[in-house]
Amino acid sequence: MVLRRAAVESPKKVAALVDLVNLPTALREFAGGRSQMSHLSFFLGVWSHIKNNNLQDPTNRNIVNCDNKLKTVLLGRSKVELSELPMLVKLHFPKVFKS
């Protein structure tokens, strides 16, 4: 529902989230060897890794305690706030200008 409304209001932004891009080597290892992935599906993979491995801090659920696999994606940081996750993942997906 939200994605549909966003697609109507700003189709270029949605296209940037769902277009396949070539992943760098560090991200390929995290993504299970996949060479291409969309920004959105990679972010969902990061989120599912956090949930499946119980990496959220039990006392403060807004903090993620990174394991070694997650540190490769999140610039080597050991703790990250949930609000920082989209920005840190976005750094690996440079903006491509189409002519």
Side-chain angles (χ1 to χ4, degrees), residues 16 21-22 24 27 39 89-97:
V21 295
N22 293 325
L27 298 187
H39 181 160
V89 170
K90 186 178 179 179
L91 292 174
H92 295 288
F93 292 86
K95 193 170 189 176
V96 177
F97 296 103

Side-chain angles (χ1 to χ4, degrees), residues 2-69:
V2 173
L3 194 56
R4 283 187 194 157
R5 186 175 65 219
V8 171
E9 293 174 1
S10 55
K12 289 183 180 179
K13 287 184 179 181
V14 173
L17 288 176
V18 296
D19 282 346
L20 292 178
V21 295
N22 293 325
L23 295 177
T25 306
L27 298 187
R28 285 181 190 175
E29 293 171 6
F30 185 85
R34 294 175 63 183
S35 62
Q36 288 187 330
M37 203 173 215
S38 71
H39 181 160
L40 184 60
S41 60
F42 187 81
F43 182 77
L44 292 174
V46 169
W47 182 246
S48 66
H49 178 77
I50 291 168
K51 294 301 260 180
N52 292 340
N53 294 300
N54 296 321
L55 296 178
Q56 281 183 286
D57 192 320
T59 57
N60 184 356
R61 304 292 285 171
N62 291 323
I63 301 288
V64 175
N65 297 317
C66 301
D67 60 0
N68 288 333
K69 188 173 181 181

Side-chain angles (χ1 to χ4, degrees), residues 64-96:
V64 175
N65 297 317
C66 301
D67 60 0
N68 288 333
K69 188 173 181 181
L70 196 56
K71 281 182 185 180
T72 61
V73 176
L74 302 179
L75 308 176
R77 297 176 60 179
S78 59
K79 290 189 177 196
V80 176
E81 290 187 26
L82 285 179
S83 60
E84 296 176 305
L85 274 178
M87 179 203 58
L88 291 172
V89 170
K90 186 178 179 179
L91 292 174
H92 295 288
F93 292 86
K95 193 170 189 176
V96 177

